[in-house]
């Protein structure tokens, strides 16, 4: 109703008066207003309604409603967080609902339910969570975020957070950790394929876990090795929004230029050490990480065929990403038209593959924590190279 009323009779009278006024205004305008009158029909109606006190619910003139933060909203609308058509938010459309463990990060409604920001008890949201949601404004601007003091990571670590970090770290931590891999392989023989083993996916966009490094232990840590902890970069560059514009998500290269003479992201280098053995220290550190990741992937493929005895093919566009190629023809095996997932995992192969996927799942690893990324790659390369009988020293890699 347009009017604040106490009962049905009052409502009926008020509504009748409202209709009469509108009719009177329309007739008056048609009969009395000259053709060249500057008054519009809406203005005449506004004058006719002037004696009435309207509630805050309307009616409204859309052109008179001020939109606060319109620039921020427009920036957000262009970002990946708002893209309802992307796989991140449309994957479950055909199912009609999002599984609770996925809804936490793939729906604003699920996120608020997980942290109890909707008035419910914190924890996995109660199904069903409807599709169509995105990372909306309230995911990051809900006043209740100030009450979240820590976020639990896949390794079991509870990391203290400020209100501005809670959203980022909740959803960019991945869904597995080194302990997940260690638990899966247990005391199994390192080089014996085991049908019970399956690929463990760290998920994707694991920027927060990469940033926290060895402290969060989201990568698989080889026994006897030490790993770099949280990457503090250069303070005050200490949080996600220190570098990322919070609405567009774009990296502000102006921030990089504060310390880096050449702020082109691909050219930034933090060390004069050639980690990939090329001897080229003029290229960016991103290139070293990519080169070592490619080397590790090659070793994974060689190990699968030569040690595990079952060739493997990677396809990053469909889960579970790693597939069988038993006849070695370079094509994924199929049964009844369906791709056959790789099923000859050994503990050694699973550990290295997990680390490869963890590092490559964060395209910003070179900025979030290059040291940790390089350490995980180096140790995984070293482990597979030993099993393949290859002399790693010839590659001049540096940890």
């Amino acid at each position: 109703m347009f009017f604040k009323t106490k009962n049905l009779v009052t409502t009926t009278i008020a509504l009748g008066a409202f209709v009469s006024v509108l009719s009177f205004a329309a007739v008056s305008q048609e009969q009395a207003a000259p053709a060249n009158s500057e008054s519009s029909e809406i203005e005449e109606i506004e004058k006719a309604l002037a004696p009435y006190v309207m509630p805050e619910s309307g009616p409204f003139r859309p052109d008179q409603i001020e939109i606060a933060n319109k620039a921020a909203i427009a920036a957000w609308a262009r970002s990946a967080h708002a893209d309802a058509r992307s796989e991140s938010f449309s994957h479950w459309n055909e199912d009609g609902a999002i599984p609770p463990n996925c809804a936490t990060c793939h729906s604003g409604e699920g996120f608020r339910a997980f942290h109890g920001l909707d008035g419910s008890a914190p924890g996995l949201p109660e199904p069903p969570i409807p599709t169509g949601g995105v990372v909306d404004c309230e995911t990051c601007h809900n006043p209740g975020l100030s009450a979240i003091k820590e976020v639990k990571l896949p390794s079991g670590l509870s990391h203290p957070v400020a209100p501005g970090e809670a959203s980022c770290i909740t959803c960019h931590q991945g869904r597995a950790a080194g302990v997940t891999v260690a638990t899966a392989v247990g005391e199994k023989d390192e080089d014996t394929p085991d049908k019970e083993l399956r690929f463990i996916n760290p998920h994707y966009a694991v920027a927060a876990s990469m940033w926290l490094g060895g402290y969060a232990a989201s990568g698989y840590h080889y026994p006897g090795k030490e790993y770099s902890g949280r990457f503090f970069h250069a303070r005050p560059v200490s949080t996600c929004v220190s570098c990322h514009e919070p609405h567009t998500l774009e990296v502000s290269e102006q921030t990089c230029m504060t310390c880096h003479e050449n702020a082109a992201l691909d050219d930034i280098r933090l060390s004069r050490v050639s980690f990939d053995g090329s001897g080229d220290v003029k290229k960016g550190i991103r290139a070293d990480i990519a080169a070592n990741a490619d080397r590790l992937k090659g070793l994974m493929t060689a190990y699968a065929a030569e040690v595990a005895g079952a060739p493997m093919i990677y396809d990053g566009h469909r889960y579970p990403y790693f597939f069988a190629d038993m006849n070695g023809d370079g094509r994924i095996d199929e049964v009844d038209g369906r791709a056959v997932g790789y099923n000859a995992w050994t503990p050694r192969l699973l550990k290295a593959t997990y680390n490869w996927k963890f590092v490559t799942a964060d395209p910003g690893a070179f900025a979030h924590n290059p040291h940790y990324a390089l350490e995980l790659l180096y140790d995984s390369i070293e482990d597979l190279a030993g099993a393949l009988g290859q002399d790693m020293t010839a590659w001049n890699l540096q940890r």
Side-chain angles (χ1 to χ4, degrees), residues 181-198 345-348 350-351:
V181 179
T183 300
V185 302
E187 299 298 323
K188 299 177 185 293
D189 182 76
E190 283 286 271
D191 299 309
T192 300
D194 192 312
K195 297 294 184 181
E196 294 182 358
L197 293 179
R198 294 290 184 271
W345 293 102
T346 71
R348 192 187 306 275
L350 185 60
K351 296 171 186 176

Side-chain angles (χ1 to χ4, degrees), residues 2-86:
F2 290 108
F3 297 89
K4 295 179 179 178
T5 58
K6 297 182 179 180
N7 53 53
L8 183 59
V9 174
T10 308
T11 301
T12 304
I13 294 173
L15 182 58
F18 178 67
V19 173
S20 297
V21 170
L22 291 181
S23 300
F24 172 77
V27 172
S28 298
Q29 181 187 33
E30 181 180 352
Q31 296 178 348
N36 61 353
S37 172
E38 296 181 357
S39 298
S40 68
E41 180 180 354
I42 286 195
E43 289 173 334
E44 291 297 331
I45 293 175
E46 286 179 339
K47 292 178 182 178
L49 290 175
Y52 297 88
V53 178
M54 304 301 294
E56 294 181 357
S57 59
F60 295 118
R61 277 278 301 271
D63 60 317
Q64 294 179 351
I65 299 174
E66 181 180 356
I67 303 176
N69 301 318
K70 54 183 175 290
I73 294 171
W76 165 83
R78 299 192 304 269
S79 76
H81 278 170
D83 188 0
R85 297 171 299 177
S86 71

Side-chain angles (χ1 to χ4, degrees), residues 97-157:
I98 309 174
N101 58 338
C102 300
T104 297
C105 295
H106 295 273
S107 162
E109 180 179 342
F111 175 85
R112 289 184 284 279
F114 179 76
H115 282 298
L117 301 177
D118 60 353
S120 65
L124 287 179
E126 291 291 334
I129 301 298
T131 58
V134 294
V135 178
D136 52 27
C137 300
E138 202 179 359
T139 303
C140 300
H141 293 286
N142 189 296
L145 287 169
S146 60
I148 300 175
K149 303 302 181 184
E150 60 184 21
V151 171
K152 190 172 183 178
L153 303 173
S155 63
L157 173 75

Side-chain angles (χ1 to χ4, degrees), residues 299-323:
L299 290 172
M300 287 156 42
T301 302
Y303 177 96
E306 299 174 26
V307 180
M312 178 175 70
I313 292 179
Y314 173 74
D315 183 347
H317 298 292
R318 53 177 168 173
Y319 187 82
Y321 309 122
F322 297 93
F323 299 90

Side-chain angles (χ1 to χ4, degrees), residues 269-275 281:
R269 189 172 189 88
L270 301 180
S271 174
R272 296 186 181 278
V273 174
S274 174
F275 293 96
V281 294

Side-chain angles (χ1 to χ4, degrees), residues 181-182 185 190-191 199-200 202 219-222 292-293 295-301 303-304 312 322 345-360 373 375-385 387-388:
V181 179
V185 302
E190 283 286 271
D191 299 309
F199 172 62
I200 296 175
Y220 175 77
H221 293 180
Y222 287 88
N292 285 359
R295 185 180 293 276
L296 175 55
K297 186 181 178 184
L299 290 172
M300 287 156 42
T301 302
Y303 177 96
M312 178 175 70
F322 297 93
W345 293 102
T346 71
R348 192 187 306 275
L349 180 59
L350 185 60
K351 296 171 186 176
T353 303
Y354 174 84
N355 276 350
W356 177 84
K357 187 66 164 61
F358 176 74
V359 172
T360 57
E375 290 161 359
L376 292 175
L377 293 173
Y378 183 96
D379 293 344
S380 301
I381 290 172
E382 183 179 52
D383 195 44
L384 290 187
L388 288 165

